[in-house]
Amino acid sequence: MVGYSNKQIRDFLVQFFADDPDELAFFCDDYYPAVKSEFSEDMGLKRRAHQLTLAAAETATFDQLLDHLRAYAPEKFTEQAALLDQTD
């Protein structure tokens, strides 16, 4: 898979969960409970996406994160996957 920057992944997560920001917490319940435990009640979507991005970057698991997103919401992932290929 192509290498992505933290910003690309973070922006993708924000866009992916923009329709329902609370859904990111449910996603983390299923795949990243340690990351979810770092979320606070007043933390916004972008900050939560940043936390998840940092966790994936620290363990070099962006590919795994994208695979989990694809499994979690396949149609949505397919619709939005082109966003990953956009450059800033």
Side-chain angles (χ1 to χ4, degrees):
M1 214 175 234
V2 177
Y4 298 107
S5 69
N6 286 9
K7 181 181 182 334
Q8 285 173 297
I9 296 295
R10 183 181 59 248
D11 290 348
F12 182 74
L13 287 168
V14 169
Q15 183 64 36
F16 194 86
F17 292 105
D19 292 340
D20 185 359
D22 292 333
E23 195 65 29
L24 178 58
F26 295 120
F27 172 78
C28 287
D29 274 338
D30 293 345
Y31 297 99
Y32 298 94
V35 173
K36 186 182 179 226
S37 71
E38 297 175 12
F39 293 171
S40 64
E41 284 295 318
D42 62 339
M43 190 180 283
L45 174 60
K46 192 166 188 173
R47 182 72 179 142
R48 288 178 180 204
H50 182 67
Q51 288 296 115
L52 181 54
T53 300
L54 290 178
E58 287 174 5
T59 57
T61 57
F62 281 156
D63 289 344
Q64 184 179 30
L65 172 60
L66 295 175
D67 288 343
H68 291 317
L69 287 166
R70 185 179 296 113
Y72 188 76
E75 289 180 21
K76 187 175 208 174
F77 185 88
T78 300
E79 290 171 5
Q80 297 188 7
L83 294 173
L84 287 169
D85 296 329
Q86 295 177 358
T87 56
D88 297 323

